[in-house]
């Protein structure tokens, strides 16, 4: 059997995954694609609004690579760009700058308390 890698059709993050079954591919309906894009736009607009009005936020991060775990830490949004945003936090005693994609908020790896968005699935929502 030949080993194949296929691109997953997900807007939150793109990755290659092993497909041992063969030609079967994960399919996403057009409606689901539009919903994902709409959620990413809402997240981006919310972060831009916070950046312009009050960039001081409370942040929770749970990432495995690189390993970053931050719980309800005060942070400042330092930049908002087309595909990413930057924050600076002082949790370890010295200022540390992180860059995230809007998809990190979408899938729940990054949570901003002041942002009116809660992912339905994700690392931070699992109890």
């Amino acid at each position: 059997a030949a080993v194949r890698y296929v691109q997953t059709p997900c807007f939150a993050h793109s990755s290659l995954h092993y497909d041992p079954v063969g030609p079967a591919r994960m399919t996403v309906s057009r409606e689901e694609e539009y919903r994902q894009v709409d959620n990413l736009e809402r997240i981006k607009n919310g972060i831009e609004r916070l950046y312009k009005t009050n960039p001081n936020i409370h942040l929770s991060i749970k990432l495995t690579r690189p390993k970053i775990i931050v719980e309800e830490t005060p942070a400042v949004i330092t930049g908002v760009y087309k595909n990413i945003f930057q924050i600076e936090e002082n949790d370890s005693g010295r200022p540390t700058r992180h860059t995230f994609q809007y998809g990190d908020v979408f899938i729940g790896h990054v949570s901003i308390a002041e942002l009116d968005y809660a992912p339905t699935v994700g690392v931070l929502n699992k109890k």
Side-chain angles (χ1 to χ4, degrees):
V3 175
R4 295 184 338 140
Y5 290 90
V6 296
Q7 189 74 25
T8 58
C10 179
F11 287 97
H13 64 328
S14 295
S15 62
L16 294 174
H17 71 277
Y18 176 66
D19 183 19
V21 178
R25 289 181 179 226
M26 186 177 91
T27 59
V28 176
S29 69
R30 286 274 185 222
E31 183 178 308
E32 182 61 25
E33 286 181 16
Y34 292 138
R35 189 177 8 258
Q36 289 175 354
V37 170
D38 184 51
N39 283 339
L40 286 173
E41 285 298 318
R42 281 191 320 153
I43 292 167
K44 181 179 178 183
N45 292 338
I47 292 172
E48 284 177 344
R49 181 178 36 80
L50 286 172
Y51 177 65
K52 290 176 182 175
T53 58
N54 183 13
N56 297 310
I57 58 171
H58 291 85
L59 184 73
S60 294
I61 307 168
K62 287 195 179 180
L63 295 174
T64 54
R65 291 190 183 155
K67 187 168 184 172
I68 302 172
I69 298 175
V70 175
E71 293 289 335
E72 290 296 320
T73 300
V76 177
I77 302 172
T78 57
V80 175
Y81 306 98
K82 181 180 177 183
N83 296 315
I84 60 170
F85 64 99
Q86 293 179 327
I87 60 101
E88 189 171 291
E89 54 93 5
N90 199 7
D91 189 46
S92 62
R94 62 185 173 111
T96 306
R97 187 168 283 196
H98 302 283
T99 301
F100 299 105
Q101 296 179 3
Y102 300 107
D104 292 327
V105 178
F106 178 73
I107 61 176
H109 289 165
V110 175
S111 175
I112 299 173
E114 291 78 7
L115 186 63
D116 188 24
Y117 177 80
T120 55
V121 294
V123 175
L124 294 176
N125 288 343
K126 292 183 179 176
K127 300 277 181 189

